[in-house]
């Protein structure tokens, strides 16, 4: 899982044809630490089928504004340059696995 900045994220959203899972987090967020393990598991399960990007909200204000991030952790899934889902707070790994399988 790569930690990217605003400019790189913008480019990836515009050029990638595969689903993109964007994980918004912060180092001070305790729930983010738990959620990170779920995101890592999803990345392993769907390697080479989905692009997973993590964005630290403390350093990437443009992306936070663009995607209206109000709470963390937040996961956004983008497909064909469109936001398919936006999930804030604690989330279930199985929910995302089922959703990603449908998109593939």
């Amino acid at each position: 899982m790569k930690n990217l900045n605003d400019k790189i994220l913008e480019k990836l959203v515009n050029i990638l044809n595969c689903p993109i899972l964007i994980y918004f987090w912060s180092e001070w967020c305790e729930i983010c630490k738990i959620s990170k393990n779920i995101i890592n598991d999803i990345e392993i399960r769907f390697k080479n089928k989905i692009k997973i990007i993590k964005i630290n909200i403390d350093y990437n204000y443009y992306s936070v504004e663009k995607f209206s991030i109000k709470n963390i952790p937040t996961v956004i899934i983008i497909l064909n340059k469109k936001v398919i889902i936006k999930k804030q707070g604690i989330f279930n790994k199985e929910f995302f696995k089922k959703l990603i399988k449908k998109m593939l």
Side-chain angles (χ1 to χ4, degrees), residues 36-55:
K36 186 177 179 184
N37 293 330
I38 294 171
I39 297 298
N40 288 338
D41 186 53
I42 291 170
E43 183 175 33
I44 291 167
R45 173 111 162 94
F46 295 100
K47 187 175 181 151
N48 300 323
K49 294 180 181 177
I50 184 170
K51 180 73 173 173
I52 296 182
I53 301 167
K54 76 177 185 181
I55 298 291

Side-chain angles (χ1 to χ4, degrees), residues 33-102:
K33 292 174 186 175
I34 296 167
S35 300
K36 186 177 179 184
N37 293 330
I38 294 171
I39 297 298
N40 288 338
D41 186 53
I42 291 170
E43 183 175 33
I44 291 167
R45 173 111 162 94
F46 295 100
K47 187 175 181 151
N48 300 323
K49 294 180 181 177
I50 184 170
K51 180 73 173 173
I52 296 182
I53 301 167
K54 76 177 185 181
I55 298 291
N56 187 321
I57 64 162
D58 297 322
Y59 306 112
N60 297 287
Y61 304 113
Y62 173 78
S63 295
V64 169
E65 284 293 317
K66 179 178 180 175
F67 293 105
S68 300
I69 304 303
K70 306 292 183 207
N71 298 308
I72 55 171
T74 295
V75 172
I76 293 177
I77 296 180
I78 297 175
L79 183 61
N80 299 324
K81 301 178 190 172
K82 295 179 184 168
V83 174
I84 302 298
I85 192 160
K86 179 178 178 181
K87 181 92 167 120
Q88 299 177 338
I90 295 176
F91 48 84
N92 182 314
K93 174 174 47 177
E94 294 306 315
F95 170 79
F96 283 105
K97 283 183 178 180
K98 287 177 186 176
L99 182 65
I100 293 167
K101 283 180 182 178
K102 283 183 187 178

Side-chain angles (χ1 to χ4, degrees), residues 1-47:
M1 179 166 40
K2 295 180 180 177
N3 191 22
L4 300 178
N5 64 29
D6 290 329
K7 290 179 184 179
I8 296 171
L9 175 61
E10 188 77 24
K11 281 184 180 180
L12 287 174
V13 168
N14 287 322
I15 63 170
L16 290 177
N17 292 324
C18 66
I20 304 167
L21 186 150
I22 307 169
Y23 175 63
F24 291 90
W25 69 286
S26 181
E27 295 167 4
W28 49 263
C29 171
E30 292 300 319
I31 297 172
C32 294
K33 292 174 186 175
I34 296 167
S35 300
K36 186 177 179 184
N37 293 330
I38 294 171
I39 297 298
N40 288 338
D41 186 53
I42 291 170
E43 183 175 33
I44 291 167
R45 173 111 162 94
F46 295 100
K47 187 175 181 151

